[in-house]
Amino acid sequence: MIEIILMLFGGAVMLFGALGILRFPDVYTRLHAATKCDTGGAMGIILALILIMDAPAVVRAKFLVLAFLIAMINPMVSHAIARGAYRYGVKPKVVVDMYAWDNS
Amino acid sequence: MSRVPFYLKERLEALRERVLREEFEASKLPPWERVVLTWAVLMTFWVVVSGSFSANNLALGAVVTLIIAAFMRDLLTEDIRRSGNIIEKLIYFAFIYLPQYLVIMAFRLLESNLKVAKNVIFMDINPGIVKIKTDLHSDTGVTILANSITLTPGTLTLDVKKKLDGTYLYIHWIDLETLNREKAGEKIKGDIEEWLKKVFW
């Protein structure tokens, strides 16, 4: 029962992330949708797979290594993309920009 | 600080950096504790990845990870604060600190997913880039703090700048509430910084 709820939750969160990439106005807000929804959705699906699979506990623990790697790498890549876009010259649509105050 | 003449100011900053450096060197772990910590982490990884508990396999893993840990002891444990006995600290870390952090981050991730879904449906965004300050100095601590900030609801780390009195982070905030640095820092960092300051330098 719990694994079906987790799987549906992961799918729904992934769907909202894809919708956010289409609807948000600029690069940085789209990165918000991509990072958070991908990490949360992948976590939900991995937990559901751990519960579904019938195998000894050591084999299930390999999924936890995968979850740890996703949780470390996903925010790092989004940080690299955001910084690279700012350095390249993509202007954010924001109310206040303290990064531009310090760098120009 | 602003009334100090410029030729003295440079000198004062060099002095303060030296004090910081010496404090850092004094609070590092001794070498054998670093080897033991690295060995414990690598051995856990070996057992999980190889997936069998036969004596042959465990002995091979222990020898190989001990050799690797002796060479690579500074890579993983450079920034950990020294406090108390090592066995006590390992048990504290594995059974109290780590579950606490995982529970906090799991609930924040859930909240941020729901918040992004709400933002996508209603489009009530008011973005802005703010600057906050943390007291962490080490690379590992700042990395984990920036990753945690990216996963908390409504914030994304843009850039990191290291200064002498602390580290400054530039945050893209999707729903701007305040511009004051202390209030924004308290809202964005929450209790994660307090948690990280107990473990990392």
Side-chain angles (χ1 to χ4, degrees), chain B residues 167-190:
Chain B
T167 310
Y168 291 91
L169 296 164
Y170 295 92
I171 310 285
H172 184 276
W173 203 355
I174 205 168
D175 190 11
L176 194 65
E177 290 172 29
T178 171
L179 286 182
N180 188 343
R181 184 178 296 162
E182 278 78 26
K183 281 184 194 164
E186 201 170 308
K187 264 194 181 311
I188 289 172
K189 285 180 299 189

PDB file of all heavy atoms in Angstrom, chain B residues 167-190:
ATOM      1  N   THR B 167      31.616  33.227   5.631  1.00  0.00           N
ATOM      2  CA  THR B 167      31.379  32.946   4.226  1.00  0.00           C
ATOM      3  C   THR B 167      30.067  33.588   3.810  1.00  0.00           C
ATOM      4  O   THR B 167      29.089  33.536   4.548  1.00  0.00           O
ATOM      5  CB  THR B 167      31.311  31.430   4.015  1.00  0.00           C
ATOM      6  OG1 THR B 167      32.442  30.845   4.627  1.00  0.00           O
ATOM      7  CG2 THR B 167      31.323  31.092   2.559  1.00  0.00           C
ATOM      8  N   TYR B 168      30.067  34.211   2.625  1.00  0.00           N
ATOM      9  CA  TYR B 168      28.854  34.864   2.144  1.00  0.00           C
ATOM     10  C   TYR B 168      28.255  34.055   1.013  1.00  0.00           C
ATOM     11  O   TYR B 168      28.967  33.634   0.094  1.00  0.00           O
ATOM     12  CB  TYR B 168      29.157  36.281   1.668  1.00  0.00           C
ATOM     13  CG  TYR B 168      29.525  37.192   2.801  1.00  0.00           C
ATOM     14  CD1 TYR B 168      30.839  37.350   3.184  1.00  0.00           C
ATOM     15  CD2 TYR B 168      28.534  37.852   3.500  1.00  0.00           C
ATOM     16  CE1 TYR B 168      31.176  38.161   4.248  1.00  0.00           C
ATOM     17  CE2 TYR B 168      28.858  38.662   4.564  1.00  0.00           C
ATOM     18  CZ  TYR B 168      30.175  38.810   4.927  1.00  0.00           C
ATOM     19  OH  TYR B 168      30.495  39.603   5.989  1.00  0.00           O
ATOM     20  N   LEU B 169      26.930  33.843   1.086  1.00  0.00           N
ATOM     21  CA  LEU B 169      26.239  33.064   0.058  1.00  0.00           C
ATOM     22  C   LEU B 169      25.230  33.969  -0.633  1.00  0.00           C
ATOM     23  O   LEU B 169      24.541  34.758   0.007  1.00  0.00           O
ATOM     24  CB  LEU B 169      25.477  31.902   0.697  1.00  0.00           C
ATOM     25  CG  LEU B 169      26.252  30.819   1.409  1.00  0.00           C
ATOM     26  CD1 LEU B 169      25.317  30.035   2.269  1.00  0.00           C
ATOM     27  CD2 LEU B 169      26.879  29.912   0.411  1.00  0.00           C
ATOM     28  N   TYR B 170      25.145  33.870  -1.974  1.00  0.00           N
ATOM     29  CA  TYR B 170      24.129  34.599  -2.721  1.00  0.00           C
ATOM     30  C   TYR B 170      22.986  33.634  -3.041  1.00  0.00           C
ATOM     31  O   TYR B 170      23.220  32.595  -3.646  1.00  0.00           O
ATOM     32  CB  TYR B 170      24.705  35.164  -4.012  1.00  0.00           C
ATOM     33  CG  TYR B 170      25.760  36.196  -3.768  1.00  0.00           C
ATOM     34  CD1 TYR B 170      27.095  35.840  -3.688  1.00  0.00           C
ATOM     35  CD2 TYR B 170      25.408  37.516  -3.596  1.00  0.00           C
ATOM     36  CE1 TYR B 170      28.062  36.776  -3.447  1.00  0.00           C
ATOM     37  CE2 TYR B 170      26.368  38.464  -3.352  1.00  0.00           C
ATOM     38  CZ  TYR B 170      27.689  38.086  -3.279  1.00  0.00           C
ATOM     39  OH  TYR B 170      28.641  39.016  -3.035  1.00  0.00           O
ATOM     40  N   ILE B 171      21.789  33.979  -2.611  1.00  0.00           N
ATOM     41  CA  ILE B 171      20.650  33.077  -2.701  1.00  0.00           C
ATOM     42  C   ILE B 171      19.603  33.651  -3.625  1.00  0.00           C
ATOM     43  O   ILE B 171      19.218  34.816  -3.484  1.00  0.00           O
ATOM     44  CB  ILE B 171      20.014  32.878  -1.315  1.00  0.00           C
ATOM     45  CG1 ILE B 171      21.050  32.520  -0.288  1.00  0.00           C
ATOM     46  CG2 ILE B 171      18.932  31.830  -1.363  1.00  0.00           C
ATOM     47  CD1 ILE B 171      21.543  31.150  -0.380  1.00  0.00           C
ATOM     48  N   HIS B 172      19.151  32.858  -4.598  1.00  0.00           N
ATOM     49  CA  HIS B 172      17.992  33.250  -5.414  1.00  0.00           C
ATOM     50  C   HIS B 172      16.751  32.762  -4.695  1.00  0.00           C
ATOM     51  O   HIS B 172      16.551  31.570  -4.535  1.00  0.00           O
ATOM     52  CB  HIS B 172      18.103  32.616  -6.806  1.00  0.00           C
ATOM     53  CG  HIS B 172      17.028  33.045  -7.728  1.00  0.00           C
ATOM     54  ND1 HIS B 172      15.799  32.451  -7.742  1.00  0.00           N
ATOM     55  CD2 HIS B 172      16.984  34.007  -8.668  1.00  0.00           C
ATOM     56  CE1 HIS B 172      15.055  33.038  -8.651  1.00  0.00           C
ATOM     57  NE2 HIS B 172      15.746  33.971  -9.228  1.00  0.00           N
ATOM     58  N   TRP B 173      15.917  33.751  -4.255  1.00  0.00           N
ATOM     59  CA  TRP B 173      14.765  33.427  -3.417  1.00  0.00           C
ATOM     60  C   TRP B 173      13.502  33.650  -4.227  1.00  0.00           C
ATOM     61  O   TRP B 173      13.281  34.732  -4.743  1.00  0.00           O
ATOM     62  CB  TRP B 173      14.787  34.338  -2.187  1.00  0.00           C
ATOM     63  CG  TRP B 173      14.041  33.826  -1.016  1.00  0.00           C
ATOM     64  CD1 TRP B 173      13.276  32.723  -0.940  1.00  0.00           C
ATOM     65  CD2 TRP B 173      14.023  34.423   0.269  1.00  0.00           C
ATOM     66  NE1 TRP B 173      12.775  32.585   0.309  1.00  0.00           N
ATOM     67  CE2 TRP B 173      13.214  33.606   1.073  1.00  0.00           C
ATOM     68  CE3 TRP B 173      14.612  35.574   0.831  1.00  0.00           C
ATOM     69  CZ2 TRP B 173      12.972  33.901   2.419  1.00  0.00           C
ATOM     70  CZ3 TRP B 173      14.380  35.853   2.140  1.00  0.00           C
ATOM     71  CH2 TRP B 173      13.573  35.025   2.935  1.00  0.00           C
ATOM     72  N   ILE B 174      12.687  32.623  -4.349  1.00  0.00           N
ATOM     73  CA  ILE B 174      11.571  32.721  -5.296  1.00  0.00           C
ATOM     74  C   ILE B 174      10.429  33.543  -4.727  1.00  0.00           C
ATOM     75  O   ILE B 174       9.627  34.085  -5.473  1.00  0.00           O
ATOM     76  CB  ILE B 174      11.105  31.310  -5.712  1.00  0.00           C
ATOM     77  CG1 ILE B 174      10.439  31.349  -7.073  1.00  0.00           C
ATOM     78  CG2 ILE B 174      10.149  30.719  -4.728  1.00  0.00           C
ATOM     79  CD1 ILE B 174      10.219  29.994  -7.638  1.00  0.00           C
ATOM     80  N   ASP B 175      10.353  33.671  -3.409  1.00  0.00           N
ATOM     81  CA  ASP B 175       9.272  34.439  -2.798  1.00  0.00           C
ATOM     82  C   ASP B 175       9.886  35.377  -1.770  1.00  0.00           C
ATOM     83  O   ASP B 175       9.982  35.051  -0.598  1.00  0.00           O
ATOM     84  CB  ASP B 175       8.263  33.470  -2.150  1.00  0.00           C
ATOM     85  CG  ASP B 175       7.017  34.209  -1.731  1.00  0.00           C
ATOM     86  OD1 ASP B 175       6.880  35.377  -2.132  1.00  0.00           O
ATOM     87  OD2 ASP B 175       6.210  33.630  -1.007  1.00  0.00           O
ATOM     88  N   LEU B 176      10.333  36.557  -2.233  1.00  0.00           N
ATOM     89  CA  LEU B 176      11.135  37.462  -1.414  1.00  0.00           C
ATOM     90  C   LEU B 176      10.314  37.998  -0.247  1.00  0.00           C
ATOM     91  O   LEU B 176       9.240  38.551  -0.450  1.00  0.00           O
ATOM     92  CB  LEU B 176      11.621  38.606  -2.293  1.00  0.00           C
ATOM     93  CG  LEU B 176      12.721  39.474  -1.756  1.00  0.00           C
ATOM     94  CD1 LEU B 176      13.963  38.661  -1.607  1.00  0.00           C
ATOM     95  CD2 LEU B 176      12.981  40.604  -2.713  1.00  0.00           C
ATOM     96  N   GLU B 177      10.837  37.825   0.992  1.00  0.00           N
ATOM     97  CA  GLU B 177      10.086  38.301   2.151  1.00  0.00           C
ATOM     98  C   GLU B 177      10.759  39.470   2.838  1.00  0.00           C
ATOM     99  O   GLU B 177      10.109  40.422   3.233  1.00  0.00           O
ATOM    100  CB  GLU B 177       9.912  37.160   3.159  1.00  0.00           C
ATOM    101  CG  GLU B 177       8.976  36.083   2.668  1.00  0.00           C
ATOM    102  CD  GLU B 177       8.987  34.889   3.588  1.00  0.00           C
ATOM    103  OE1 GLU B 177       9.234  35.069   4.778  1.00  0.00           O
ATOM    104  OE2 GLU B 177       8.754  33.779   3.098  1.00  0.00           O
ATOM    105  N   THR B 178      12.093  39.399   2.981  1.00  0.00           N
ATOM    106  CA  THR B 178      12.793  40.470   3.688  1.00  0.00           C
ATOM    107  C   THR B 178      14.165  40.687   3.058  1.00  0.00           C
ATOM    108  O   THR B 178      14.717  39.786   2.442  1.00  0.00           O
ATOM    109  CB  THR B 178      12.949  40.117   5.175  1.00  0.00           C
ATOM    110  OG1 THR B 178      13.810  41.084   5.763  1.00  0.00           O
ATOM    111  CG2 THR B 178      13.526  38.751   5.374  1.00  0.00           C
ATOM    112  N   LEU B 179      14.698  41.917   3.206  1.00  0.00           N
ATOM    113  CA  LEU B 179      16.029  42.203   2.679  1.00  0.00           C
ATOM    114  C   LEU B 179      17.078  42.263   3.772  1.00  0.00           C
ATOM    115  O   LEU B 179      18.262  42.311   3.479  1.00  0.00           O
ATOM    116  CB  LEU B 179      16.020  43.545   1.936  1.00  0.00           C
ATOM    117  CG  LEU B 179      15.332  43.512   0.595  1.00  0.00           C
ATOM    118  CD1 LEU B 179      15.419  44.872  -0.056  1.00  0.00           C
ATOM    119  CD2 LEU B 179      16.000  42.507  -0.304  1.00  0.00           C
ATOM    120  N   ASN B 180      16.660  42.298   5.034  1.00  0.00           N
ATOM    121  CA  ASN B 180      17.589  42.357   6.157  1.00  0.00           C
ATOM    122  C   ASN B 180      18.430  41.081   6.189  1.00  0.00           C
ATOM    123  O   ASN B 180      17.901  39.990   6.040  1.00  0.00           O
ATOM    124  CB  ASN B 180      16.769  42.477   7.439  1.00  0.00           C
ATOM    125  CG  ASN B 180      17.641  42.744   8.635  1.00  0.00           C
ATOM    126  OD1 ASN B 180      18.850  42.532   8.590  1.00  0.00           O
ATOM    127  ND2 ASN B 180      17.046  43.212   9.694  1.00  0.00           N
ATOM    128  N   ARG B 181      19.780  41.241   6.367  1.00  0.00           N
ATOM    129  CA  ARG B 181      20.638  40.065   6.225  1.00  0.00           C
ATOM    130  C   ARG B 181      20.422  39.048   7.339  1.00  0.00           C
ATOM    131  O   ARG B 181      20.365  37.854   7.098  1.00  0.00           O
ATOM    132  CB  ARG B 181      22.099  40.504   6.196  1.00  0.00           C
ATOM    133  CG  ARG B 181      23.029  39.342   5.946  1.00  0.00           C
ATOM    134  CD  ARG B 181      24.453  39.770   5.875  1.00  0.00           C
ATOM    135  NE  ARG B 181      24.688  40.639   4.748  1.00  0.00           N
ATOM    136  CZ  ARG B 181      25.748  41.419   4.650  1.00  0.00           C
ATOM    137  NH1 ARG B 181      26.624  41.428   5.595  1.00  0.00           N
ATOM    138  NH2 ARG B 181      25.931  42.176   3.596  1.00  0.00           N
ATOM    139  N   GLU B 182      20.245  39.528   8.591  1.00  0.00           N
ATOM    140  CA  GLU B 182      20.085  38.587   9.698  1.00  0.00           C
ATOM    141  C   GLU B 182      18.753  37.840   9.593  1.00  0.00           C
ATOM    142  O   GLU B 182      18.688  36.629   9.754  1.00  0.00           O
ATOM    143  CB  GLU B 182      20.170  39.318  11.039  1.00  0.00           C
ATOM    144  CG  GLU B 182      21.580  39.575  11.512  1.00  0.00           C
ATOM    145  CD  GLU B 182      22.209  40.737  10.788  1.00  0.00           C
ATOM    146  OE1 GLU B 182      21.448  41.623  10.324  1.00  0.00           O
ATOM    147  OE2 GLU B 182      23.442  40.761  10.651  1.00  0.00           O
ATOM    148  N   LYS B 183      17.678  38.599   9.317  1.00  0.00           N
ATOM    149  CA  LYS B 183      16.369  37.944   9.243  1.00  0.00           C
ATOM    150  C   LYS B 183      16.311  36.974   8.085  1.00  0.00           C
ATOM    151  O   LYS B 183      15.790  35.848   8.216  1.00  0.00           O
ATOM    152  CB  LYS B 183      15.276  39.006   9.087  1.00  0.00           C
ATOM    153  CG  LYS B 183      14.917  39.687  10.370  1.00  0.00           C
ATOM    154  CD  LYS B 183      13.771  40.636  10.137  1.00  0.00           C
ATOM    155  CE  LYS B 183      13.612  41.577  11.302  1.00  0.00           C
ATOM    156  NZ  LYS B 183      12.772  42.729  10.953  1.00  0.00           N
ATOM    157  N   ALA B 184      16.881  37.388   6.930  1.00  0.00           N
ATOM    158  CA  ALA B 184      16.871  36.488   5.767  1.00  0.00           C
ATOM    159  C   ALA B 184      17.688  35.242   6.062  1.00  0.00           C
ATOM    160  O   ALA B 184      17.282  34.124   5.728  1.00  0.00           O
ATOM    161  CB  ALA B 184      17.418  37.210   4.542  1.00  0.00           C
ATOM    162  N   GLY B 185      18.860  35.423   6.726  1.00  0.00           N
ATOM    163  CA  GLY B 185      19.688  34.271   7.047  1.00  0.00           C
ATOM    164  C   GLY B 185      18.983  33.303   7.974  1.00  0.00           C
ATOM    165  O   GLY B 185      19.040  32.097   7.792  1.00  0.00           O
ATOM    166  N   GLU B 186      18.275  33.873   8.971  1.00  0.00           N
ATOM    167  CA  GLU B 186      17.561  33.002   9.900  1.00  0.00           C
ATOM    168  C   GLU B 186      16.453  32.236   9.188  1.00  0.00           C
ATOM    169  O   GLU B 186      16.250  31.044   9.431  1.00  0.00           O
ATOM    170  CB  GLU B 186      16.959  33.869  11.012  1.00  0.00           C
ATOM    171  CG  GLU B 186      16.627  33.124  12.265  1.00  0.00           C
ATOM    172  CD  GLU B 186      16.271  34.091  13.364  1.00  0.00           C
ATOM    173  OE1 GLU B 186      17.060  35.024  13.625  1.00  0.00           O
ATOM    174  OE2 GLU B 186      15.200  33.933  13.934  1.00  0.00           O
ATOM    175  N   LYS B 187      15.762  32.917   8.259  1.00  0.00           N
ATOM    176  CA  LYS B 187      14.677  32.240   7.542  1.00  0.00           C
ATOM    177  C   LYS B 187      15.223  31.182   6.586  1.00  0.00           C
ATOM    178  O   LYS B 187      14.627  30.121   6.424  1.00  0.00           O
ATOM    179  CB  LYS B 187      13.876  33.269   6.747  1.00  0.00           C
ATOM    180  CG  LYS B 187      12.647  33.748   7.460  1.00  0.00           C
ATOM    181  CD  LYS B 187      11.773  34.474   6.483  1.00  0.00           C
ATOM    182  CE  LYS B 187      10.521  34.999   7.132  1.00  0.00           C
ATOM    183  NZ  LYS B 187       9.802  34.053   7.918  1.00  0.00           N
ATOM    184  N   ILE B 188      16.375  31.459   5.925  1.00  0.00           N
ATOM    185  CA  ILE B 188      16.860  30.541   4.897  1.00  0.00           C
ATOM    186  C   ILE B 188      17.607  29.377   5.508  1.00  0.00           C
ATOM    187  O   ILE B 188      17.366  28.222   5.176  1.00  0.00           O
ATOM    188  CB  ILE B 188      17.747  31.301   3.891  1.00  0.00           C
ATOM    189  CG1 ILE B 188      16.896  32.228   3.044  1.00  0.00           C
ATOM    190  CG2 ILE B 188      18.485  30.352   2.994  1.00  0.00           C
ATOM    191  CD1 ILE B 188      17.684  33.131   2.175  1.00  0.00           C
ATOM    192  N   LYS B 189      18.537  29.668   6.459  1.00  0.00           N
ATOM    193  CA  LYS B 189      19.375  28.583   6.965  1.00  0.00           C
ATOM    194  C   LYS B 189      18.642  27.705   7.946  1.00  0.00           C
ATOM    195  O   LYS B 189      18.836  26.491   7.957  1.00  0.00           O
ATOM    196  CB  LYS B 189      20.610  29.183   7.640  1.00  0.00           C
ATOM    197  CG  LYS B 189      21.620  29.695   6.671  1.00  0.00           C
ATOM    198  CD  LYS B 189      22.796  30.270   7.388  1.00  0.00           C
ATOM    199  CE  LYS B 189      22.407  31.420   8.247  1.00  0.00           C
ATOM    200  NZ  LYS B 189      23.530  32.154   8.798  1.00  0.00           N
ATOM    201  N   GLY B 190      17.815  28.311   8.811  1.00  0.00           N
ATOM    202  CA  GLY B 190      17.105  27.513   9.809  1.00  0.00           C
ATOM    203  C   GLY B 190      18.071  26.898  10.806  1.00  0.00           C
ATOM    204  O   GLY B 190      19.049  27.518  11.210  1.00  0.00           O
TER     205      GLY B 190
END
